[in-house]
Amino acid sequence: ARQTGVPILAHSWDYSDTNPAQKYSFPSKFERYLREYPEVKLIFGHAGGRFDGHMATIALGRGCSNAYVDLSGDSYGFRFIEWLTSKIPNDRILFGTDVTWVDPRTHFARILKADVSSTTKEMIFGKNAVEVFGIKLDG
C-alpha cells in the first residue's frame, strides 16, 4: 500500500459477547500501524461498528491524518451523520453501504436527509473517495 498509494480497507467493530472474534477488529488495534505508516491510508469499515468502536475511530480520526471511516453497516443511530461530521474531519468520511447485507437506499437516505451542508454531503458521497483512491477525473 505504501508503494502503490492504494488505501487499505479494514473491517472495524466494537467488542461483542456474541461474536468474540470482533475483538480483532477493534479500531485501536490499528493505531500502531497508522502511526508507523503515516503515508498509508487506512479506511475503517463500519466506522467502528457500534458506540465504543465509533468513539475509537473518532479518536484515531482526530489523531491520525491517514485514518478514514466508511458508513457501511447496520448502525443507524439517530443523527449519526451529524454527530460523526462534528467529531472528525469531513474529508475522512466515505460513503459505504454494506450491500448485499444492507439495502443501500437506507444509506443514501440517511446522508441525503442529514442536517449537514450540501458540501459535506458531496464530500461523503464521492469527493472524498476520489481523493483517497487517487481517481483521475476528466475535465
Side-chain angles (χ1 to χ4, degrees), residues 1-8 40-41 132-133:
R2 179 172 44 189
Q3 292 173 345
T4 64
V6 174
I8 295 171
V40 175
K41 298 170 187 164
V132 170
F133 291 97

Side-chain angles (χ1 to χ4, degrees), residues 34-50:
L34 286 164
R35 297 198 187 284
E36 192 172 330
Y37 301 98
E39 66 282 359
V40 175
K41 298 170 187 164
L42 177 63
I43 304 165
F44 289 95
H46 314 303
R50 296 287 187 260

Side-chain angles (χ1 to χ4, degrees), residues 49-114:
R50 296 287 187 260
F51 184 75
D52 288 338
H54 293 319
M55 295 305 290
T57 57
I58 287 167
L60 292 170
R62 287 180 171 168
C64 301
S65 63
N66 55 333
Y68 297 80
V69 300
D70 84 15
L71 300 173
S72 66
D74 62 356
S75 183
Y76 294 104
F78 180 67
R79 297 183 63 82
F80 178 72
I81 303 301
E82 292 87 344
W83 178 73
L84 187 63
T85 57
S86 75
K87 301 292 183 190
I88 62 174
N90 295 343
D91 64 346
R92 294 207 237 122
I93 303 171
L94 304 170
F95 180 72
T97 64
D98 220 7
V99 76
T100 61
W101 289 94
V102 176
D103 187 330
R105 294 175 293 186
T106 62
H107 292 286
F108 282 110
R110 73 184 192 151
I111 295 166
L112 287 173
K113 294 294 191 175

